[in-house]
Structures are given as structure tokens and as C-alpha cells.
Amino acid sequence: MKNLSNAAFSPEVIELMTAALEAAVATLPEPVHSSHVNALAESILRTAGTGERDPVALQRIALMELQLAPRQ
């Protein structure tokens, strides 16, 4: 993943990001593809890297980006 190779997050922020990822994945229909989980995780990391700390906002942004991503 580009632009986050030097990123560092506190344990509290990692907990928020984990909660956001788990909540986002829970909304996906089965079967959940690993590419979708990776896209959500990347979005959450990128958004948290800009300073966002609200897990609901992190989840919402990640899900919106996943919807907008080109289909493979």
C-alpha cells in the first residue's frame, strides 16, 4: 500500500480502525471476498492517516469507496 509505509498509529487508533473494519465487513453480503476486505482496510488506513478518528465515519467512507471502486 502506497503512502502509508511510514504511518504509525497509537493502540487506541488501531482499536478504532479495527472496529470500523469489522463493522464494515459485517455489512457485506456472503461470501465476503478478500479483495473487498483489503479495499476496506486500505481505505480505513488512508482515512485514519488524514486524522479521522470516528469509527462510524471510517466505516462509512470505506464502504462508499468500495461501492465506487471499478468492478473486476
Side-chain angles (χ1 to χ4, degrees), residues 12-70:
E12 294 81 16
V13 174
I14 292 171
E15 286 182 31
L16 294 173
M17 292 187 300
T18 301
L21 179 60
E22 289 172 351
V25 170
T27 68
L28 298 178
E30 294 289 333
V32 176
H33 296 280
S34 62
S35 62
H36 292 156
V37 176
N38 287 338
L40 291 170
E42 286 183 15
S43 173
I44 289 168
L45 283 167
R46 189 173 48 256
T47 305
T50 67
E52 180 60 62
R53 296 298 183 256
D54 179 3
V56 174
L58 293 170
Q59 174 191 355
R60 185 177 339 109
I61 292 167
L63 288 168
M64 287 174 38
E65 285 186 9
L66 184 61
Q67 280 187 316
L68 297 173

